[in-house]
Amino acid sequence: MKLQLALDTCNTEEALQIVREVESFIDIVEIGTPMIMHYGMEPVQKVSEQYPDMRIIADLKIMDAGEFEADIAFNAGASIVSVMGITHNETIRGAVKSARKANGKVLADMMCVVNLEERAKELVELGVDYICVHTAHDVQGTQSPFASLAKVQDSVGSERCAIAGGLNKESVHRVLEYSPEIIIVGNGITGQENKSQAAKQIKDLLQG
């Protein structure tokens, strides 16, 4: 299981500092949608330049112009881009085409997807590499990703699963039985006073 650090509300320099603190314990750095909206591709480029061996996901949440928008992120140094699972198949195909050109990967965010099992299978058939069960920030108080994770795991297998949404060292143990390929943690690391310690605790739990 790989630990993905989600960076959403910091600037580029703060992002670089956080990565410096936790790089020993994380496998993937996510430049989140709010950061991209605020700073464009600068944080993707800077993090990829300073950490060339680290996988970087640009959380674009692509809904249209799949190849064109994915190209922007891959050209800036991203190794993974995200698309919305509810978007058109043509958009998915475009993002996948871009990823193949760049030797990159595509993650589909399943927010608002109703027919999870069926759509997950379709997305994999379209060439998507990871299916992400994501409890959105605005509904984390009332919804949990774990039931959805079980459905997606049954549909496409653990090696294609990712999970995000309010995970921290207190809740991450609930993920272990599903063994998803990617566990995404944001505030559970970035919001902690000792970020390195928080990342290590979570990574230790994932490694058993």
Side-chain angles (χ1 to χ4, degrees), residues 1-146:
M1 289 181 282
K2 295 178 176 63
L3 178 57
Q4 178 172 310
L5 171 70
L7 299 172
D8 288 314
T9 59
C10 52
N11 61 38
T12 301
E13 288 306 313
E14 290 168 340
L16 290 168
Q17 175 58 40
I18 293 170
V19 176
R20 276 193 290 273
E21 291 180 45
V22 303
E23 62 175 310
S24 299
F25 310 110
I26 60 172
D27 304 290
I28 305 169
V29 176
E30 172 190 327
I31 306 302
T33 313
M35 279 193 74
I36 290 172
M37 292 178 71
H38 198 155
Y39 302 105
M41 286 296 111
E42 180 196 61
V44 174
Q45 183 177 357
K46 294 293 186 183
V47 174
S48 65
E49 286 174 351
Q50 293 201 25
Y51 298 92
D53 297 326
M54 186 76 72
R55 298 171 72 189
I56 313 295
I57 176 168
D59 189 19
L60 296 177
K61 294 186 173 70
I62 293 171
M63 279 290 287
D64 192 13
E67 182 177 3
F68 179 78
E69 293 190 2
D71 279 348
I72 294 170
F74 287 126
N75 289 336
S79 46
I80 309 171
V81 299
S82 70
V83 300
M84 294 305 294
I86 59 173
T87 194
H88 301 289
N89 286 354
E90 290 80 3
T91 302
I92 300 290
R93 290 189 187 99
V96 169
K97 181 180 178 181
S98 174
R100 299 302 175 258
K101 290 187 297 186
N103 196 29
K105 294 185 181 297
V106 175
L107 176 145
D109 188 315
M110 302 298 273
M111 277 194 297
C112 299
V113 173
V114 177
N115 54 334
L116 276 173
E117 300 98 325
E118 179 183 344
R119 186 57 174 159
K121 288 180 180 178
E122 289 176 350
L123 291 167
V124 169
E125 289 171 0
L126 289 167
V128 169
D129 301 282
Y130 304 114
I131 307 296
C132 181
V133 174
H134 184 188
T135 299
H137 178 273
D138 292 339
V139 296
Q140 285 177 12
T142 58
Q143 295 183 19
S144 166
F146 300 110

Side-chain angles (χ1 to χ4, degrees), residues 174-193:
R174 298 184 61 187
V175 177
L176 301 181
E177 65 180 286
Y178 304 104
S179 297
E181 180 69 10
I182 301 172
I183 293 87
I184 303 167
V185 179
N187 190 62
I189 294 174
T190 61
Q192 307 310 302
E193 184 173 348

